[in-house]
């Protein structure tokens, strides 16, 4: 969430930055926060005055009683003052609750380098490799996967409904090979610490990274236990240090995790529903970084480059897209998407989204550090990125490496993980 003091003292700048997202409602929310904050401070001042008055009256009542004089009128007056204080406390709690709710809903302010507008303003910043040209024998991954006997969409739909594919045989092996390859590169070469987090988390954990309250409809909830299935490993990894006070020596922290991810994809019906373009359960290797504030901008560039190196090792043509302010997530101040070329469906497909969330998540999750012993607490900056998401990486691999005879060559990086060099038709 945004810093209330920043909203109070830099209101116009905050509204100007948020306007880049194209959401007119955020300016009204900022104004409501300002009005409520002004009311809150007036109430606090009035309560302090009334409490001071009550304290002085208490002393006077004691004097009157000691002198044998009638203190009842003053006692009745102080009862009325106490009632006023109680009512003001209720108003104060109501204002503070509303301020917190608004701050949880107001998105992060985009960096100056982030283009204003919706996804039509997204900008390509670089590309690697050349997209493979179309050929009449090339198949889309849903036909290719069925012909190879590695992807069974029909049985997955019978088991769980649409959006829950089944990988079989070498399809399951390819998923596992990709996961292990990615984890090894990020651990051994990029220095990340591997974590195996829970797949079920509390509401407070979802709130800490911004999934709640905005994305509640996209998540799967187990009501009986008040737990949520994670939509991404970003949620438990970022919250590993929730409520903690770190030292300067503790930073930076770099974590990597493989987890399944669960997303209802509410509102996406009818869009990208064929094959495994858009599914409700998928595997992903996630990168999360906890950084000093002054290091986070450089950390985003490094994080994005680390995800790019996975694609380069796999030999997949890709492009890096700087997302416009209206296309970035609520928690993000700046995001790069990595998109791979899919010759079977003839589209660029997002396989990674790398974001700098500045102190937005850290404020929600209360993750702070001190630069020195006894120093003033500061909020850390958090970053996250897919390193990579599996379904569309699988699509790109199958469609880019398919051969005219129906087989799929495997990139050299996966040979030791698969124990073979190609996948043959079933």
């Amino acid at each position: 969430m945004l810093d209330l003091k920043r909203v109070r003292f830099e209101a116009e700048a905050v509204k100007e930055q948020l306007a880049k997202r194209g959401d007119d409602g955020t300016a009204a929310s900022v104004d409501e926060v300002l009005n409520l904050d002004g009311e809150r401070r007036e109430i606090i001042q009035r309560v302090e005055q009334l409490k001071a008055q009550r304290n002085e009256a208490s002393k006077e009542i004691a004097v009157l009683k000691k002198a044998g004089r009638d203190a009842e009128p003053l006692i009745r007056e102080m009862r009325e003052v106490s009632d006023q204080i109680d009512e003001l406390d209720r108003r104060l709690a109501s204002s503070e609750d509303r301020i917190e709710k608004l701050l949880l809903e107001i998105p992060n302010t985009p960096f100056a380098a982030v283009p204003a507008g919706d996804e039509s303003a997204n900008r390509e910043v670089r590309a690697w490799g050349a997209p493979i040209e179309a050929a009449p024998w090339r198949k889309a991954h849903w036909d290719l996967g069925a012909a190879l006997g590695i992807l069974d969409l029909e049985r997955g739909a019978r088991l769980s409904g649409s959006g829950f594919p089944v990988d079989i045989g070498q399809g399951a092996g390819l998923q596992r090979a990709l996961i292990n390859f990615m984890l090894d590169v990020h651990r051994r070469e990029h220095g990340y610490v591997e974590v195996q987090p829970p797949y079920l988390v509390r509401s407070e954990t979802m709130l800490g990274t911004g999934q709640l309250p905005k994305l509640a409809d996209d998540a799967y909830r187990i009501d009986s236990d008040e737990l949520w299935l994670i939509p991404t490993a970003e949620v438990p990894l970022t919250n590993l240090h929730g409520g903690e006070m770190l030292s300067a020596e503790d930073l930076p922290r770099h974590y990597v995790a493989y987890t399944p991810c669960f997303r209802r994809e509410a509102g996406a019906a009818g869009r990208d529903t064929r094959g495994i373009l858009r599914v409700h359960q998928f595997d992903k290797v996630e990168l999360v970084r906890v950084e000093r504030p002054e290091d986070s901008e450089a950390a985003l560039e490094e994080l994005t480059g680390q995800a790019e190196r996975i694609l380069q090792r796999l030999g997949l043509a890709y492009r890096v897209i700087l997302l416009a302010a209206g296309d970035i997530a609520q928690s993000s101040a700046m995001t790069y998407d990595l998109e791979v070329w899919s010759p079977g469906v003839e589209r660029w497909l997002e396989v990674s989204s790398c974001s700098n969330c500045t102190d937005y998540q850290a404020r929600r999750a209360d993750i702070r550090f001190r630069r020195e012993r006894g120093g003033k607490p500061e909020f850390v900056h958090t970053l996250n990125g897919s390193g990579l998401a599996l379904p569309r990486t699988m699509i790109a691999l199958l469609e880019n490496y398919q051969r005219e005879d129906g087989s799929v060559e495997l990139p050299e990086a996966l040979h030791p993980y698969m124990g073979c060099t190609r996948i043959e038709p079933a």
Side-chain angles (χ1 to χ4, degrees):
M1 65 176 69
L2 299 182
D3 181 5
L4 178 57
K5 289 184 179 179
R6 181 182 170 209
V7 174
R8 182 188 305 154
F9 295 114
E10 303 174 22
E12 292 308 312
V14 167
K15 286 193 284 187
E16 183 179 343
Q17 292 166 336
L18 290 173
K20 295 173 67 176
R21 289 179 174 265
D23 182 358
D24 296 334
T26 55
S29 294
V30 170
D31 287 335
E32 186 176 353
V33 168
L34 289 172
N35 291 334
L36 288 167
D37 182 49
E39 177 184 312
R40 181 185 70 88
R41 286 182 289 148
E42 288 178 2
I43 291 173
I44 290 173
Q45 184 178 19
R46 180 57 180 156
V47 167
E48 289 175 350
Q49 291 171 348
L50 289 173
K51 286 182 177 179
Q53 179 184 345
R54 188 173 60 182
N55 289 340
E56 289 300 316
S58 296
K59 296 175 184 177
E60 187 175 347
I61 289 169
V63 171
L64 290 172
K65 286 183 175 181
K66 188 175 182 179
R69 298 170 59 187
D70 184 10
E72 192 58 32
L74 189 54
I75 291 173
R76 285 197 299 270
E77 182 183 344
M78 288 307 102
R79 287 191 186 121
E80 293 177 2
V81 168
S82 294
D83 290 341
Q84 291 180 52
I85 291 172
D86 290 342
E87 174 59 25
L88 289 171
D89 283 341
R90 284 190 289 271
R91 286 176 54 193
L92 179 62
S94 176
S95 294
E96 289 179 339
D97 286 346
R98 179 60 180 162
I99 289 171
E100 182 177 11
K101 183 176 185 297
L102 288 166
L103 289 176
L104 288 172
E105 293 174 348
I106 295 172
N108 203 352
T109 49
F111 286 164
V114 174
D118 60 17
E119 62 182 303
S120 64
N122 291 351
R123 187 170 72 238
E124 181 179 320
V125 295
R126 60 182 173 273
W128 187 91
I132 289 177
E133 295 181 3
W137 52 267
R138 290 193 179 278
K139 298 177 180 179
H141 69 278
W142 49 82
D143 291 328
L144 181 60
L148 291 169
I150 64 173
L151 179 62
D152 196 327
L153 299 173
E154 183 180 341
R155 285 190 172 91
R158 287 210 307 265
L159 289 171
S160 307
S162 63
F164 293 92
V166 173
D167 297 304
I168 292 180
Q170 287 187 300
L174 182 56
Q175 285 265 7
R176 181 161 43 84
L178 282 165
I179 291 165
N180 288 335
F181 163 66
M182 293 174 190
L183 287 173
D184 285 348
V185 170
H186 293 311
R187 286 189 308 111
R188 297 171 182 173
E189 301 180 24
H190 300 154
Y192 284 78
V193 175
E194 185 176 358
V195 178
Q196 182 64 65
Y199 302 158
L200 292 165
V201 295
R202 301 165 61 194
S203 295
E204 294 87 343
T205 307
M206 293 281 280
L207 187 76
T209 45
Q211 272 66 35
L212 295 182
K214 184 177 181 180
L215 301 177
D217 290 341
D218 291 344
Y220 288 97
R221 175 181 166 88
I222 300 175
D223 291 330
S224 58
D225 297 300
E226 298 184 359
L227 293 171
W228 302 78
L229 285 163
I230 60 170
T232 165
E234 170 200 344
V235 175
L237 290 184
T238 303
N239 282 277
L240 277 178
H241 297 291
E244 292 184 15
M245 179 70 69
L246 305 173
S247 68
E249 292 73 25
D250 292 326
L251 299 175
R253 290 291 181 96
H254 299 170
Y255 297 116
V256 61
Y258 150 71
T259 66
C261 304
F262 305 89
R263 298 182 188 177
R264 185 172 279 113
E265 301 286 7
R271 180 186 176 199
D272 294 341
T273 54
R274 206 163 177 200
I276 55 173
L277 285 164
R278 186 177 291 272
V279 291
H280 302 308
Q281 176 184 323
F282 61 96
D283 292 328
K284 182 153 68 86
V285 172
E286 183 76 2
L287 307 173
V288 164
R289 299 172 64 132
V290 182
E291 302 277 352
R292 296 180 183 88
E294 65 271 20
D295 297 331
S296 70
E297 291 190 45
L300 177 61
E301 303 301 324
E302 183 176 67
L303 172 66
T304 306
Q306 290 163 345
E308 287 182 70
R309 278 192 281 281
I310 297 294
L311 291 172
Q312 292 169 9
R313 296 281 187 87
L314 295 175
L316 296 173
Y318 69 88
R319 62 184 187 178
V320 181
I321 305 296
L322 174 61
L323 297 192
D327 201 26
I328 61 178
Q330 174 182 340
S331 297
S332 176
M334 184 171 178
T335 296
Y336 291 114
D337 272 4
L338 304 186
E339 298 179 344
V340 293
W341 177 249
S342 171
V345 295
E346 299 182 328
R347 282 176 49 191
W348 290 98
L349 303 177
E350 176 201 329
V351 293
S352 178
S353 190
C354 301
S355 300
N356 184 350
C357 298
T358 61
D359 62 357
Y360 188 88
Q361 293 178 327
R363 288 183 182 279
R364 300 167 76 106
D366 189 25
I367 311 171
R368 298 178 293 166
F369 78 106
R370 285 191 172 98
R371 295 182 184 273
E372 56 189 10
R373 186 182 295 275
K376 180 182 177 181
E378 299 177 49
F379 286 99
V380 301
H381 280 198
T382 61
L383 300 93
N384 64 80
S386 311
L388 307 161
L390 269 294
R392 294 181 178 183
T393 303
M394 284 273 287
I395 291 172
L397 273 174
L398 294 174
E399 294 184 358
N400 279 281
Y401 281 95
Q402 63 180 300
R403 297 295 177 256
E404 195 166 358
D405 65 1
S407 66
V408 171
E409 292 281 351
L410 293 171
E412 186 176 350
L414 295 182
H415 291 178
Y417 294 93
M418 284 291 290
C420 60
T421 61
R422 70 169 57 209
I423 298 174
E424 303 284 354

